[in-house]
Amino acid sequence: MAWFLVKRLISGVLVIFAVATLTFFLMRKVPGGPFDTEKIHPPEIQKNIDAKYHLNDPVYVQYYDYMSELLKGDLGPSFKYRNRRVQHILMDTFPVSAKLGLLALLISVTFGVSAGVISAVKRDTVIDRLSIFGASLGIAIPSFVLGAFFIWLFSFKLRIFPAALWETPRHAVLPALALGLGPASYLARLTRSSMLEVLAKDYVRTARAKGLSGAKVILKHALRNSMGPVVTVVGPLVAMLVTGSFIVEKIFSVPGMGQFFITAVTNRDYPLIMGVTLVYTTLIVIMNMVVDVVYSLLDPRVRLE
């Protein structure tokens, strides 16, 4: 186990390094610059700005300087938000995105797995057909459409939840639902397929033949052995929900990383784009390691070595 974790840690560091390198050079290849605006600066001012942020240095020099500071834990200054370091922006906004993402994950796993299990147990019934239809609908509808619909229904028509901002627990309900229902629908379909496969196994029929109750067969034998594919998906899903809620955060005016990332892309804020990308990549690497360990615990046949 220890050697496996060491190998995955080394490969994860290499992945982060590769992503940082590719992102750095791709941003420099995109037309336009961080200080290109409709108002044209005099050449002297533009030259001073480029010199201040070292944008007039050769690209390989900029890359060396950035990676050197990155190894020290410094993500550099933001071009858009003056007098603020990128790491400080991420420290202020990541907790908000993390709370929203974890709430959406809780909704996804709770509703998705429950609906998938019930649908598999009630196969070919009205409940199963309604579950499949609801899951297909949830997968097809984008999160920003759900968000707009929830604002119209629950904020303007029913006046149950606030439409925007992030101040009280009630403000988190609509964005968490908009972000979590799509993954919940996908998990429901995946859980149903996996459960149906496990329920057809010989050991499940044997357990039923021994007189075990239906609930015990489902929970003790079928559910645990059907969770492998679900766990494999949940790992990357955590990183996606925590850092990938850009559009939902924008719709509901949630002060998370999504708001800053959209602004950074619009304004070519290179350091901030790099910072958010590295956070996302790091979460992906960590969650993939966690998935491998959890998968081995669920299935003793899996040997990490």
Side-chain angles (χ1 to χ4, degrees):
M1 175 72 76
W3 177 237
F4 164 79
L5 292 176
V6 170
K7 290 193 296 184
R8 291 306 302 268
L9 184 61
I10 294 173
S11 64
V13 171
L14 294 176
V15 168
I16 295 172
F17 173 79
V19 170
T21 301
L22 288 173
T23 306
F24 183 91
F25 286 104
L26 285 174
M27 285 192 301
R28 266 61 179 184
K29 287 294 183 181
V30 175
F35 300 102
D36 291 348
T37 60
E38 294 181 359
K39 181 180 178 180
I40 301 176
H41 298 296
E44 295 79 8
I45 296 179
Q46 186 65 45
K47 187 181 295 184
N48 291 334
I49 293 175
D50 292 341
K52 178 181 178 181
Y53 293 101
H54 303 284
L55 296 175
N56 54 351
D57 293 338
V59 177
Y60 65 88
V61 174
Q62 296 181 46
Y63 173 74
Y64 175 81
D65 292 339
Y66 180 81
M67 297 303 292
S68 299
E69 295 299 319
L70 180 62
L71 293 175
K72 300 176 184 177
D74 188 359
L75 297 175
S78 170
F79 293 164
K80 172 65 177 178
Y81 302 95
R82 306 296 172 83
N83 302 320
R84 295 194 68 184
R85 312 293 292 183
V86 171
Q87 59 263 31
H88 297 155
I89 295 176
L90 296 179
M91 289 171 62
D92 292 338
T93 58
F94 178 77
V96 176
S97 294
K99 289 177 183 177
L100 176 58
L102 292 176
L103 285 174
L105 178 67
L106 180 63
I107 292 172
S108 300
V109 174
T110 302
F111 286 94
V113 174
S114 301
V117 171
I118 294 172
S119 181
V121 173
K122 302 292 184 179
R123 183 180 182 180
D124 295 331
T125 63
V126 175
I127 295 176
D128 182 29
R129 294 188 181 94
L130 288 175
S131 177
I132 294 174
F133 174 76
S136 301
L137 195 65
I139 294 173
I141 300 177
S143 59
F144 62 87
V145 175
L146 280 176
F149 174 73
F150 288 159
I151 290 174
W152 172 79
L153 179 62
F154 294 108
S155 298
F156 293 103
K157 292 296 183 181
L158 302 179
R159 299 184 182 277
I160 299 176
F161 298 108
L165 301 181
W166 186 266
E167 297 175 353
T168 66
R170 294 177 65 248
H171 287 83
V173 174
L174 295 186
L177 284 174
L179 188 61
L181 288 182
S185 303
Y186 179 74
L187 288 178
R189 295 296 298 268
L190 184 62
T191 303
R192 178 183 182 275
S193 300
S194 184
M195 279 289 293
L196 289 177
E197 183 180 348
V198 172
L199 289 174
K201 298 290 185 181
D202 292 337
Y203 65 84
V204 174
R205 288 196 292 265
T206 302
R208 285 173 171 166
K210 289 181 178 180
L212 294 178
S213 64
K216 184 173 290 187
V217 171
I218 297 298
L219 297 177
K220 185 177 180 180
H221 295 278
L223 182 59
R224 176 176 177 176
N225 292 309
S226 64
M227 285 295 99
V230 177
V231 169
T232 303
V233 171
V234 167
L237 183 64
V238 173
M240 185 197 77
L241 290 177
V242 170
T243 61
S245 56
F246 304 138
I247 298 178
V248 172
E249 288 184 8
K250 188 70 174 178
I251 291 175
F252 290 95
S253 298
V254 177
M257 287 194 304
Q259 289 262 28
F260 285 85
F261 184 75
I262 293 175
T263 305
V265 172
T266 304
N267 295 281
R268 302 287 199 276
D269 193 342
Y270 297 153
L272 188 52
I273 296 173
M274 290 287 298
V276 177
T277 303
L278 290 175
V279 169
Y280 180 79
T281 305
T282 303
L283 280 175
I284 285 287
V285 169
I286 293 174
M287 293 313 304
N288 281 336
M289 293 177 60
V290 173
V291 163
D292 289 336
V293 174
V294 173
Y295 196 89
S296 69
L297 296 177
L298 288 175
D299 191 349
R301 296 170 298 175
V302 176
R303 291 294 179 265
L304 294 179
E305 291 80 12

